Amino acid sequence: MKKFDILALGELNVDLLLNRIAGFPEVGKEIFAQDMTLTLGSSTAIFAANAATLGARVSFVGMIGKDSFGEVVRSTLEQRHVDTSNLIEVDNAATGLTAILNYDNDRANVTYPGAMSLMGVKDIRPEIIREAKHVHVSSIFLQETLHKEIFEIVRMVKDCGATLSMDVQFDPEEKWEFDYRKILPLVDVFMPNEQELMAITRKATVEEAVDVILPYANVTVVKMGTRGSLVISGGKRFHMPAMLNKSVVDAIGAGDSFDAGFISAYVRGKDLAECQRLGNLAGAVNTTAAGGTGAFSSIEAVKEAAQRYFGQTIEL
Ligand SMILES: Nc1ncnc2c1ncn2[C@@H]1O[C@H](COP(=O)(O)OP(=O)(O)OP(=O)(O)O)[C@@H](O)[C@H]1O
Ligand SMILES: [Mg+2]
């Protein structure tokens, strides 16, 4: 019996949201924002928090600075019942921060990666991996050292006997350097969205991109927004339409919630069709409240939203 069902391995940062801003900022000038919020950012944190709400025992390996933003990260994860004993505090970098300037439906983001860019293979202790059934790695392009050492990291996870899922997420530099031939054979569940999959394979359609990775991948799950998801396993493709939400609050974190739904079913040994259903359902539930974790305040709230908006039940 392992101590944790899931170890989330990824970036940690706070989000500083500035809303209702009087126009676009200009160099040399100062303007007012009417509204400000500081929250836990990071898509891996949304994944971890929502998987914990769905009943998985989740721990987090990620880097923060020895500063008050690091405390915000730690205490917010704890409120969400994510184990923080494996967070790594460094004194040579500050906790990462994303400043988000919201203008109606559009936004401008600036990210200072800070501590998250330092975590590499030497920081990840095999004893910790051995305590987990499953490891989920995410946002690989946002984490400079982790990106460079990703092959060594996935090999170490497999050597420690855990199953492994990976969500690459966006590459802010848009270089999309990812050696899928070498890495994917070691990944049990690969979970990109369609743009990310096309970008890493340098193909113009999802179909072609899937053909390219097919010889190397185990299970692949492609997230397709309002068109649902595609699971590819044993050479077969299974498309499941989205459980459409007609009055979306916002879709921030829908992909991370999808991962949380899919992987919480996966670690319980559910078949792939049920994992995919729970992935789509968690992604859909995510859109019924603000931000990535708003709809996941408790398992009762998730079950209630699943039933009310989508007529779906959750049994875990
Ligand atoms: N408007 C919506 N209504 C219902 N379900 C949705 C909606 N948008 C997304 N989903 C569900 O959530 C899943 C993941 O969303 P999406 O494809 O946007 O992931 P992503 O691009 O990785 O997102 P993220 O920006 O969070 O990383 C989809 O596969 C779908 O099942
Ligand atoms: Mg995503």
Side-chain angles (χ1 to χ4, degrees):
M1 181 73 177
K2 303 273 187 178
K3 189 170 171 195
F4 298 112
D5 298 311
I6 302 170
L7 197 67
L9 195 64
E11 88 290 14
L12 284 169
N13 66 279
V14 292
D15 278 353
L16 175 67
L17 293 125
L18 296 168
N19 301 322
R20 299 199 286 136
I21 307 169
F24 204 79
E26 283 176 57
V27 175
K29 292 194 177 175
E30 180 161 351
I31 52 173
F32 285 121
Q34 300 296 327
D35 186 39
M36 183 278 284
T37 321
L38 184 78
T39 61
L40 174 64
S42 131
S43 80
T44 312
I46 295 172
F47 163 83
N50 294 352
T53 297
L54 292 172
R57 296 163 306 154
V58 185
S59 184
F60 205 114
V61 177
M63 264 189 186
I64 51 177
K66 284 187 178 147
D67 48 36
S68 47
F69 288 162
E71 279 314 307
V72 171
V73 166
R74 186 185 289 278
S75 62
T76 315
L77 285 173
E78 280 167 5
Q79 280 159 23
R80 293 291 179 150
H81 307 290
V82 175
D83 172 79
T84 58
S85 61
N86 295 312
L87 294 190
I88 307 160
E89 272 185 15
V90 292
D91 43 25
N92 55 342
T95 302
L97 177 140
T98 298
I100 302 165
L101 280 62
N102 278 315
Y103 297 92
D104 299 324
N105 287 325
D106 231 330
R107 47 200 180 141
N109 292 4
V110 182
T111 292
Y112 161 72
M116 76 167 81
S117 62
L118 304 179
M119 187 170 74
V121 68
K122 67 172 187 345
D123 302 299
I124 303 164
R125 304 206 324 269
E127 309 85 88
I128 297 170
I129 309 277
R130 282 193 212 102
E131 288 182 339
K133 242 180 173 170
H134 183 89
V135 174
H136 180 76
V137 186
S138 187
S139 306
I140 62 171
F141 300 112
L142 284 183
Q143 305 169 82
E144 196 186 339
T145 312
L146 178 134
H147 180 219
K148 279 191 198 128
E149 300 175 358
I150 190 68
F151 177 67
E152 287 70 30
I153 292 169
V154 298
R155 201 172 48 191
M156 177 177 140
V157 170
K158 295 313 294 175
D159 287 347
C160 290
T163 49
L164 174 67
S165 50
M166 181 185 285
D167 184 343
V168 292
Q169 300 285 17
F170 198 75
D171 180 3
E173 296 187 306
E174 299 196 54
K175 291 184 187 156
W176 301 102
E177 282 165 14
F178 182 74
D179 192 346
Y180 54 83
R181 294 177 188 83
K182 224 167 120 185
I183 297 164
L184 289 187
L186 297 172
V187 176
D188 296 284
V189 186
F190 184 52
M191 318 183 81
N193 70 19
E194 46 191 348
Q195 288 80 22
E196 293 152 4
L197 179 62
M198 290 188 285
I200 59 170
T201 54
R202 328 250 167 214
K203 292 289 171 196
T205 67
V206 173
E207 285 300 304
E208 288 173 285
V210 167
D211 289 340
V212 168
I213 62 161
L214 210 52
Y216 312 101
N218 292 298
V219 173
T220 303
V221 185
V222 187
K223 288 165 281 178
M224 306 190 302
T226 51
R227 282 177 293 110
S229 60
L230 181 69
V231 167
I232 304 110
S233 168
K236 294 203 179 74
R237 301 173 196 211
F238 307 90
H239 174 251
M240 195 178 281
M243 298 163 192
L244 266 192
N245 179 8
K246 289 176 203 82
S247 48
V248 171
V249 176
D250 68 55
I252 298 168
D256 311 313
S257 295
F258 177 100
D259 294 352
F262 191 103
I263 295 301
S264 10
Y266 185 82
V267 295
R268 286 175 167 88
K270 305 279 182 187
D271 62 30
L272 289 176
E274 177 62 1
C275 297
Q276 188 175 15
R277 185 186 73 92
L278 271 174
N280 275 12
L281 181 56
V285 166
N286 180 107
T287 66
T288 64
T293 57
F296 290 78
S297 54
S298 66
I299 184 66
E300 292 74 27
V302 178
K303 284 183 176 175
E304 209 265 322
Q307 186 60 51
R308 179 147 59 100
Y309 294 100
F310 311 108
Q312 297 282 323
T313 53
I314 298 177
E315 276 152 43
L316 288 166

